[in-house]
Amino acid sequence: MPFPQTEIPGRLQKQLAGRGIRMTAQRRAILSVIEMATKHLDASQILRKARRVDATVDRSTVYRTLDLLKRQGLIDELDLMHIKGEGHYYERRLDRDHIHMACLRCGKITEFASKTFDSLKKQLERDCHFHIVVSRLEVGGYCSGCRR
Amino acid sequence: MPFPQTEIPGRLQKQLAGRGIRMTAQRRAILSVIEMATKHLDASQILRKARRVDATVDRSTVYRTLDLLKRQGLIDELDLMHIKGEGHYYERRLDRDHIHMACLRCGKITEFASKTFDSLKKQLERDCHFHIVVSRLEVGGYCSGCRR
DNA sequence: AAGCCTCTTGCGATCAGTTGCGACTGGAGA
DNA sequence: TCTCCAGTCGCAACTGATCGCAAGAGGCTT
């Protein structure tokens, strides 16, 4: 997503295979679509693009694969405040959690990484004795271009 | 949700009416369910409870009312990391944003308010010139009881 | 109280996401 | 290479959420 030029094709595949997870043609198609994405994709977009790679990909397979990737901690699921409908978006998980900011007027998505966010998570773990596996901070409001 | 004993029945209704929003019997039923809730409710639970108040409430009316309340900034929508399925949960919006922490093992939901979270939001507004209207921080992991 | 008009509703259809079943197959082992 | 079996797939049905339409009604004005 943020760094398309540095993505290494086949990395998701290697990561799954390295965990003993079976690889199929359909999964390869789906993985390649996710890796090559230059913007946030929802499930139907992933399905459409994956079908261009392999026409046998079924909708339920896309959802199952996304679910697998989520459970393996390899992708993040976002709803981007549902500004474009009820669906979810998916993106590669990077090393550092970042915040998604969705403009309620123009729909622009801004991403922001912050040390304060990292500190906040550490605080949660410490104060609540909670071991964080996945976190998601999404914000809706007005971007600089749309502010009144 | 966190403070059921301090909730004032009819407050949501007054808030909507004060904004010139039309009040119906169905909306009253739905609002009372949300106000009286002592735990996070999903749409079907709200529907079921609202129907006990007024049997004419339709499912689509529940969703519409929830959407209206969201847009008016009176409730928050949470997915609680979808640990209990794909649906969403709804709760009254309080003055101070808080974080939801969902245990991936036992399903327990912990809520936490933090000054660091407030600071983080201020940082976003400042650094990105973004006016925040709504924010949501959800965390999935293992609670103190389930940690290994 | 009656009239009016804009908003809201129920209902059925549709879309986002999930599930169960039987058929298929990836990949490990011989 | 062949066998095998546990995992995966497509498909149809189901659930969470939304949409469009015609009928109903809230609430304001007279």
Side-chain angles (χ1 to χ4, degrees):
Chain A
M1 236 44 79
F3 310 114
Q5 286 80 15
T6 64
E7 185 55 274
I8 301 173
R11 185 187 257 178
L12 277 175
Q13 190 171 323
K14 281 191 180 69
Q15 284 174 315
L16 286 183
R19 303 179 187 193
I21 290 167
R22 180 176 297 184
M23 197 48 52
T24 65
Q26 292 87 349
R27 284 181 175 176
R28 280 191 198 92
I30 294 163
L31 297 184
S32 70
V33 166
I34 292 170
E35 278 174 344
M36 292 300 108
T38 55
K39 47 198 305 198
H40 297 101
L41 297 180
D42 66 20
S44 65
Q45 287 168 320
I46 291 171
L47 174 60
R48 205 178 314 128
K49 289 169 183 285
R51 275 194 175 146
R52 287 204 208 110
V53 177
D54 177 348
T56 68
V57 177
D58 186 77
R59 188 171 60 119
S60 60
T61 302
V62 168
Y63 282 111
R64 285 191 184 116
T65 305
L66 291 172
D67 186 58
L68 170 70
L69 292 169
K70 273 191 288 177
R71 279 187 284 107
Q72 291 294 320
L74 298 176
I75 60 169
D76 282 323
E77 177 179 270
L78 312 165
D79 62 36
L80 303 181
M81 308 318 289
H82 291 308
I83 54 179
K84 288 180 183 168
E86 64 172 317
H88 289 93
Y89 297 86
Y90 301 90
E91 70 173 17
R92 288 290 308 279
R93 183 185 284 199
L94 302 174
D95 286 338
R96 193 172 177 194
D97 261 357
H98 55 280
I99 298 152
H100 289 86
M101 306 162 69
C103 180
L104 301 173
R105 175 161 296 146
C106 69
K108 179 182 169 185
I109 307 297
T110 307
E111 301 185 332
F112 188 82
S114 158
K115 281 188 169 60
T116 310
F117 189 29
D118 297 332
S119 302
L120 177 55
K121 284 185 293 178
K122 284 194 168 56
Q123 182 193 16
L124 291 181
E125 294 201 301
R126 203 173 47 231
D127 290 2
C128 305
H129 306 289
F130 193 91
H131 171 59
I132 293 176
V133 169
V134 57
S135 61
R136 192 169 87 219
L137 174 50
E138 298 193 15
V139 160
Y142 299 102
C143 66
S144 52
C146 296
R147 290 178 70 172
R148 311 164 346 158
Chain B
M1 232 49 74
F3 309 111
Q5 286 79 14
T6 63
E7 184 53 276
I8 300 173
R11 186 187 254 176
L12 276 177
Q13 190 172 321
K14 281 193 179 67
Q15 285 174 314
L16 285 183
R19 302 179 189 195
I21 290 167
R22 181 176 295 185
M23 197 48 51
T24 65
Q26 293 86 349
R27 285 181 174 174
R28 279 190 200 94
I30 293 163
L31 296 185
S32 71
V33 166
I34 293 171
E35 278 174 342
M36 292 301 110
T38 55
K39 48 199 301 197
H40 298 100
L41 297 180
D42 66 20
S44 65
Q45 289 167 318
I46 292 171
L47 173 61
R48 206 176 312 129
K49 290 169 183 285
R51 276 196 173 143
R52 287 204 207 109
V53 177
D54 176 352
T56 67
V57 177
D58 186 76
R59 184 168 60 122
S60 59
T61 302
V62 167
Y63 282 111
R64 285 191 186 113
T65 305
L66 291 171
D67 186 58
L68 169 70
L69 291 168
K70 272 192 288 179
R71 281 186 286 105
Q72 292 295 319
L74 297 175
I75 61 170
D76 282 324
E77 176 178 272
L78 311 165
D79 61 38
L80 302 180
M81 310 316 291
H82 291 308
I83 54 178
K84 289 183 185 166
E86 57 171 313
H88 289 92
Y89 298 86
Y90 301 90
E91 68 172 17
R92 287 291 307 281
R93 183 182 287 194
L94 302 174
D95 286 339
R96 193 173 180 196
D97 261 356
H98 55 279
I99 297 152
H100 288 86
M101 307 162 69
C103 180
L104 301 175
R105 175 160 297 148
C106 69
K108 178 182 170 185
I109 307 297
T110 308
E111 301 187 333
F112 187 82
S114 158
K115 281 189 167 60
T116 311
F117 188 29
D118 297 332
S119 302
L120 177 55
K121 284 186 292 178
K122 284 194 165 55
Q123 181 193 18
L124 290 181
E125 295 202 302
R126 202 174 47 233
D127 290 3
C128 304
H129 307 288
F130 191 92
H131 172 58
I132 293 176
V133 169
V134 57
S135 62
R136 190 168 88 218
L137 175 48
E138 299 193 13
V139 160
Y142 299 101
C143 66
S144 52
C146 297
R147 292 178 70 171
R148 318 181 320 172

